[in-house]
Amino acid sequence: MNAQPYTPALARPRRVMVLGLAALSTGFASVEMHRLLAAHGTTVPEFFVLGLFALCFAWIALSFWSGVAGFLQLVSNQRVPGLRWPTEEEAGKPLTRRTAVVMPVYNEDPAAVFAHVQATYESIAATGQLDAFDFYVLSDSTRAESWVAEELAWSELCRRVGGQGRIFYRRRSDNTAKKAGNLAEFCERWGRRYDFLLVLDADSLMAGDSVVEMARLMELNPGAGILQVPPQNVGRSTLFARLQQFAGRVYGPIVAAGAAAWQLGDSNYWGHNAILRMAPFIEHCGLPVLPGQQPFGGHILSHDFVEAALMRRAGYTVWLVPELGGSYEQPPPDLLAYAQRDRRWCQGNLQHLGLVMAGGLHPMSRMHFLMGVMSYVASPLWLIFLVAGLFAALHEWFFAPATLLEFQATLPGGDAFDTVGALRLMVLSLALLWIPRLMGMGLILANREEAARLGGRFKLVLSVALEGVVSTLMAPVMMLFQSHFVFGTLLGYKVNWSSQQREDTDLPWSEALRRHKWHMAIGAVLAALTVAVAPGMLAWLSPVILGLWLSPAISVFTARASLGLWAQRRGLFLIPEEVQPPTVLVRAQELAEEGMEPVDDALDHVLTDPRAHALHLALLEAHPTGSVPVALASARRKLLAGGVEPLSPQEKSAVLLDARTLSELRGRRLGVQA
């Protein structure tokens, strides 16, 4: 138990240490880079290159020293100060406050969604604390088939677990503000009934004991506004997903512990697998609509960072609590699905630039906004750095009295190039990238039982090496993807709101070649320029060139579940949740495999299945929403004409929203059958 109250003085020395060491590292690296660039006199382009290098290196250095802080935190085996943890006696008492567990969904697979809801529900019930929780599935689904299937899955779930009056389902037809608007509407209608709000994503899964401890921590710490538990990636079989799951399991604890160690009560919120204090969330965390048009104006896409900042501005602390565990989600199945998700997150984070200077925010909240922006802007900055470096070299060739041979002598591999200094800088950069990975691996190697649950020590080391190689080859591809996303956002490109791809499916070569053709072309141009102008740099740039050339093959092969399962059988990229799966994961998998009857045509299903018809009308009565008059009139005209002309998705939804039309159509069908 740690009863030391949280104050700014508690965090100050930790932040000075992490940020100070990051600044010192950046200063040293920048001096080395300046010495390399100034070997033959410094030009304006070279000063620009130096500025870009310093900014990019600072981002790497901050990540490194945060990882070191995480390593020290884990080695010390102590909790971060500032939160009061329950005593053994307090941990055995019933919860006294009420929590709403909410899962917003949007055109997801209902079988998978409700399997996770049921597994979490049963896991909480097993703790004996179920009376303190109610569950809500909040649908924004626009596909009629998803909508009707969700209703049936909810009804079946309530029947299975006796959840009537404890598990609720609500679909809204107006999707204003997307997920954030969905949660806001819930809080307006039902939020005052509860003390806390536990937010899950459509692929979230949480162990009951972790959920109960989160609620208890909120009870014991009235100043805490948000407790975020980092989710572990689980449940997918493609090689790409297994690499993500393995990396998250080996390196993730270092990252999470590091952030918690120096941010303390000024941490961030990631939008799901977190518990929030309901009253201040309702009162202080309403999201503004940004002025102007998308992509920078309009409704805020990445609402979580903003809600954390508003909660902190209201005087409540925000905590990252990695020691709780029992928090799970699913990774994207392949590189292209990962990039698609990144595109939405990129635009959402860039929106935060307009909020950095908002009044009254805590300095750490402003820093979180900037860190979120930098997580995407770093890629185009590195790209500009590489291009600017080439331009600076060509500038020296064109404007300095040098022949081509003299120019090449100043580049890597040339006689006049400071190879030792460049290697020193390269080794420093690689060390900052790799040492946190090695620290994560070292913590596992030091624990024989933990290493055994990741395939054994030899397989663990081999997996880390292989994951490092694949990640290195993927890095230039993601750099170009993210650069494209950033430049596209700056040019006014707006992302569409679509459900994420979650299923394991092989990626066709045609799709991979289509999506990566420009990456291959850029790799070819880069290789040709390097060979023609500076062949000595070819070895230095080979990981970038190879990654771009091989990008279609990397996407295709890492998207294959057969390769992921092959690696699993050989003990590679294992995670403990596969070797000794927690009960909640086993139960969720069992329920998902049972599946449910598919809904191929929502309207036909509601009209022909008496149970679906009665359930749908009952839910329409409980949560009335107006239909679209024009679409409904058009649909009725088509249906009354005998149904020869097919209904559009909008017309089908309009009919499903109108109880009178549904009852009339159902009556006509029964009359015809009679």
Side-chain angles (χ1 to χ4, degrees):
M1 172 179 149
N2 190 342
Q4 186 177 6
Y6 177 68
T7 62
L10 202 60
R12 191 173 297 117
R14 293 167 176 258
R15 291 175 191 165
V16 168
M17 185 69 68
V18 170
L19 298 177
L21 289 171
L24 287 174
S25 303
T26 302
F28 173 79
S30 298
V31 168
E32 283 291 296
M33 176 58 77
H34 179 264
R35 192 172 60 80
L36 290 173
L37 293 174
H40 301 281
T42 304
T43 63
V44 173
E46 287 164 347
F47 272 120
F48 181 65
V49 171
L50 180 62
L52 287 173
F53 173 81
L55 190 58
C56 293
F57 194 92
W59 179 242
I60 296 175
L62 177 60
S63 300
F64 169 77
W65 288 111
S66 181
V68 171
F71 175 77
L72 296 175
Q73 187 68 44
L74 292 173
V75 168
S76 69
N77 200 29
Q78 294 181 351
R79 297 186 176 117
V80 295
L83 270 180
R84 179 173 176 249
W85 289 77
T87 63
E88 186 174 343
E89 179 183 356
E90 289 170 331
K93 292 182 177 180
L95 294 171
T96 59
R97 305 292 182 87
R98 303 270 300 152
T99 299
V101 181
V102 301
M103 180 182 281
V105 296
Y106 178 75
N107 293 333
E108 301 284 349
D109 175 16
V113 166
F114 283 89
H116 283 200
V117 174
Q118 182 172 343
T120 302
Y121 181 95
E122 291 176 349
S123 186
I124 295 176
T127 68
Q129 301 277 9
L130 187 59
D131 287 343
F133 298 89
D134 284 341
F135 282 69
Y136 291 81
V137 177
L138 308 176
S139 175
D140 260 342
S141 295
T142 53
R143 289 184 61 249
E145 285 68 33
S146 296
W147 167 18
V148 172
E150 288 165 2
E151 294 177 344
L152 295 169
W154 165 73
S155 176
E156 178 62 18
L157 169 60
C158 291
R159 185 194 64 79
R160 283 181 172 183
V161 300
Q164 293 82 358
R166 196 185 298 278
I167 305 176
F168 305 93
Y169 170 83
R170 188 273 286 132
R171 176 190 174 271
R172 63 173 190 157
S173 56
D174 178 10
N175 303 136
T176 300
K178 303 179 175 60
K179 178 182 175 181
N182 199 350
L183 288 172
E185 183 183 299
F186 167 80
C187 290
E188 290 171 5
R189 292 191 176 190
W190 299 287
R192 299 291 181 183
R193 302 178 183 180
Y194 300 96
D195 301 286
F196 312 129
L197 175 69
L198 177 65
V199 183
L200 302 179
D201 225 346
D203 61 344
S204 293
L205 186 65
M206 294 203 70
D209 53 355
S210 294
V211 171
V212 169
E213 191 158 10
M214 291 168 74
R216 196 176 302 281
L217 284 172
M218 293 294 277
E219 288 186 355
L220 294 174
N221 295 272
I226 302 176
L227 297 180
Q228 172 71 66
V229 181
Q232 167 67 36
N233 283 327
V234 297
R236 296 267 64 94
S237 298
T238 65
L239 183 58
F240 179 86
R242 292 186 57 74
L243 288 165
Q244 297 294 308
Q245 291 169 182
F246 175 78
R249 187 61 184 81
V250 176
Y251 324 133
I254 292 283
V255 175
W262 67 276
Q263 295 173 16
L264 297 182
D266 306 313
S267 293
N268 212 349
Y269 167 45
W270 302 342
H272 57 93
N273 294 44
I275 192 167
L276 302 88
R277 193 170 298 276
M278 185 71 84
F281 183 71
I282 294 174
E283 187 173 349
H284 301 288
C285 297
L287 296 177
V289 178
L290 300 179
Q293 300 297 315
Q294 284 196 23
F296 290 102
H299 292 286
I300 293 173
L301 295 182
S302 293
H303 59 94
D304 38 16
F305 282 35
V306 182
E307 289 162 347
L310 295 175
M311 183 70 79
R312 193 67 192 92
R313 185 172 71 174
Y316 291 85
T317 53
V318 179
W319 296 87
L320 181 62
V321 195
E323 51 264 60
L324 279 184
S327 173
Y328 308 102
E329 66 176 350
Q330 295 177 336
D334 58 61
L335 179 60
L336 296 183
Y338 183 89
Q340 179 188 9
R341 185 184 69 175
D342 243 23
R343 185 167 214 155
R344 291 198 304 273
W345 289 1
C346 175
Q347 182 175 322
N349 278 270
L350 291 180
Q351 275 186 314
H352 296 163
L353 280 172
L355 299 173
V356 171
M357 300 308 296
L361 295 184
H362 191 279
M364 278 300 300
S365 298
R366 303 185 198 277
M367 186 171 184
H368 285 308
F369 286 151
L370 292 174
M371 289 168 67
V373 170
M374 192 62 187
S375 64
Y376 290 96
V377 172
S379 287
L381 287 179
W382 276 116
L383 181 62
I384 295 170
F385 168 73
L386 293 174
V387 173
L390 178 62
F391 176 78
L394 293 175
H395 178 274
E396 183 174 341
W397 180 20
F398 281 115
F399 293 99
T403 66
L404 176 61
L405 292 177
E406 291 171 335
F407 168 69
Q408 290 178 339
T410 66
L411 299 176
D415 297 334
F417 181 73
D418 185 1
T419 304
V420 174
L423 284 174
R424 184 164 54 240
L425 193 56
M426 182 178 179
V427 169
L428 175 61
S429 302
L430 290 175
L432 296 190
L433 292 171
W434 269 92
I435 287 177
R437 293 169 172 250
L438 298 178
M439 289 189 297
M441 182 181 70
L443 287 175
I444 297 173
L445 289 174
N447 186 327
R448 183 183 295 273
E449 292 183 4
E450 184 73 3
R453 295 197 299 156
L454 280 90
R457 288 172 173 168
F458 174 75
K459 295 289 180 65
L460 171 62
V461 174
L462 180 59
S463 296
V464 168
L466 292 173
E467 189 276 333
V469 170
V470 177
S471 296
T472 300
L473 292 175
M474 285 183 180
V477 180
M478 285 308 303
M479 177 183 70
L480 291 182
F481 267 134
Q482 291 181 341
S483 298
H484 173 64
F485 301 158
V486 171
F487 292 138
T489 301
L490 294 176
L491 292 173
Y493 178 85
K494 296 181 289 186
V495 299
N496 295 320
W497 188 34
S498 59
S499 56
Q500 296 182 29
Q501 179 188 342
R502 304 191 192 275
E503 297 303 314
D504 296 340
T505 55
D506 286 353
L507 181 68
W509 277 98
S510 58
E511 178 67 8
L513 290 169
R514 185 182 71 83
R515 296 289 298 275
H516 290 296
K517 60 185 178 183
W518 290 111
H519 300 155
M520 297 175 67
I522 291 171
V525 170
L526 180 60
L529 283 174
T530 304
V531 171
V533 178
M537 294 184 65
L538 193 60
W540 295 70
L541 293 174
S542 59
V544 175
I545 294 171
L546 281 174
L548 295 175
W549 276 357
L550 297 175
S551 54
I554 292 171
S555 281
V556 167
F557 288 118
T558 58
R560 292 185 176 173
S562 57
L563 287 179
L565 294 173
W566 178 88
Q568 181 183 26
R569 289 192 295 271
R570 282 153 183 78
L572 297 174
F573 313 123
L574 287 179
I575 58 175
E577 288 78 9
E578 294 172 319
V579 178
Q580 296 177 350
T583 303
V584 69
L585 286 180
V586 174
R587 183 57 175 154
Q589 184 65 29
E590 291 173 351
L591 293 167
E593 289 174 354
E594 290 179 10
M596 59 178 291
E597 180 185 351
V599 176
D600 298 320
D601 187 307
L603 181 56
D604 184 70
H605 198 93
V606 168
L607 294 177
T608 56
D609 185 330
R611 175 171 166 267
H613 182 78
L615 174 63
H616 187 78
L617 290 184
L619 287 171
L620 282 182
E621 184 179 353
H623 305 293
T625 55
S627 186
V628 181
V630 175
L632 180 60
S634 175
R636 286 180 63 88
R637 177 184 56 79
K638 291 180 180 180
L639 291 168
L640 293 174
V644 177
E645 189 178 353
L647 300 183
S648 69
Q650 293 77 15
E651 291 168 338
K652 192 178 293 186
S653 294
V655 173
L656 286 168
L657 285 169
D658 190 73
R660 183 176 67 86
T661 301
L662 288 172
S663 298
E664 181 181 339
L665 291 172
R666 170 76 173 163
R668 288 179 59 190
R669 290 207 177 192
L670 290 177
V672 170
Q673 292 172 0

